[in-house]
Amino acid sequence: KGPLLKAHIDELTAENVQGEIYFTDLIRLFNQNGLVVRDAQATDNDVVLAFNVKSVLQQMHAIARRQVYERLKDIITIQDEDNFFIAEEVVARIEEMDREGVPLDIFIGQGAWIGPGVRLSRGVEIGHRSTLDGDIRLGRDVRIMQNVSLSTYPHQAMTVGDHSEVLEGNILKGNLEIGSHTRIESRVNITGSDEHPTRIGKGVT
């Protein structure tokens, strides 16, 4: 249970021959504190997989990716099922949009990385190796081309209006608002700060 875990996890120490912290030492700590310890059998061995070498960590990444792909493969297009990242809350929002019964027509390119604060709309295209990280809201039919980086710091927000394009290799950061039907040509850097947000209107190139 979460509260008991939080109460005792700081008591774990590395006082052993290996000099490592063992999560299973919590059983001893719980017993010492008169707490009940029970076992449960996992129906899927993947949920109890642990790692201490990088190859197993990569295996865990692959398992997580596969689970996401299975959830989304009939809802959106993911170009490479072995090379992408979509944060869990984004996955949940996509599934919620799908329940509305209208085709989403979202495309995720190879190697694209979509962080937890990102909100996608219908018809969005994310090009390969592009990264979206932060509070980023994309309007309908927005095209983010390849090798683009969109990011915000905490308490900042970025919006891209409907039918706009962000072309190859662009870096857009911070408090930034791009209007609809606007095109940001290739190799452009734009930053909007907390004090001086950047605003680009509609129909702008």
Side-chain angles (χ1 to χ4, degrees):
K1 291 184 172 66
L4 295 177
L5 173 64
K6 292 178 181 178
H8 295 284
I9 196 167
D10 286 340
E11 299 172 32
L12 294 175
T13 66
E15 295 177 2
N16 51 60
V17 175
Q18 293 82 4
E20 297 179 346
I21 291 176
Y22 290 100
F23 191 72
T24 48
D25 282 348
L26 280 168
I27 296 172
R28 174 181 53 81
L29 291 172
F30 274 37
N31 285 333
Q32 288 174 351
N33 287 275
L35 299 170
V36 175
V37 177
R38 296 188 178 95
D39 65 63
Q41 183 172 348
T43 56
D44 180 356
N45 289 339
D46 289 345
V47 303
V48 292
L49 186 66
F51 78 95
N52 59 4
V53 293
K54 290 184 178 180
S55 61
V56 181
L57 177 60
Q58 291 303 313
Q59 180 185 351
M60 293 173 78
H61 285 315
I63 290 167
R65 248 192 324 271
R66 186 185 70 231
Q67 291 172 344
V68 169
Y69 181 76
E70 288 300 318
R71 289 168 64 181
L72 296 182
K73 66 181 181 181
D74 295 323
I75 301 175
I76 66 174
T77 301
I78 298 174
Q79 186 177 30
D80 185 347
E81 63 185 272
D82 296 319
N83 188 7
F84 74 97
F85 174 81
I86 304 175
E88 172 60 28
E89 68 178 64
V90 180
V91 173
R93 280 197 292 266
I94 291 171
E95 291 175 323
E96 184 179 344
M97 291 166 61
D98 179 59
R99 285 192 286 271
E100 297 174 6
V102 179
L104 299 185
D105 296 324
I106 293 173
F107 175 87
I108 307 297
Q110 182 183 45
W113 195 99
I114 302 172
V118 177
R119 291 183 174 269
L120 307 178
S121 298
R122 292 186 180 89
V124 163
E125 178 181 333
I126 309 294
H128 61 269
R129 295 190 304 275
S130 286
T131 300
L132 287 72
D133 184 19
D135 184 356
I136 298 168
R137 301 173 184 231
L138 304 182
R140 295 190 62 169
D141 300 311
V142 165
R143 297 180 67 211
I144 307 296
M145 305 304 281
Q146 64 190 25
N147 299 310
V148 169
S149 175
L150 306 182
S151 63
T152 65
Y153 287 110
H155 313 300
Q156 295 181 330
M158 180 185 303
T159 61
V160 181
D162 296 347
H163 308 287
S164 287
E165 294 181 298
V166 180
L167 299 191
E168 178 181 356
N170 288 332
I171 300 174
L172 278 56
K173 298 186 292 186
N175 274 321
L176 177 60
E177 182 180 320
I178 298 171
S180 62
H181 298 277
T182 286
R183 179 185 179 99
I184 311 296
E185 293 286 357
S186 299
R187 310 295 176 187
V188 173
N189 290 1
I190 302 174
T191 300
S193 67
D194 291 343
E195 186 178 359
H196 301 290
T198 297
R199 301 289 182 259
I200 299 173
K202 300 177 181 180
V204 176
T205 299

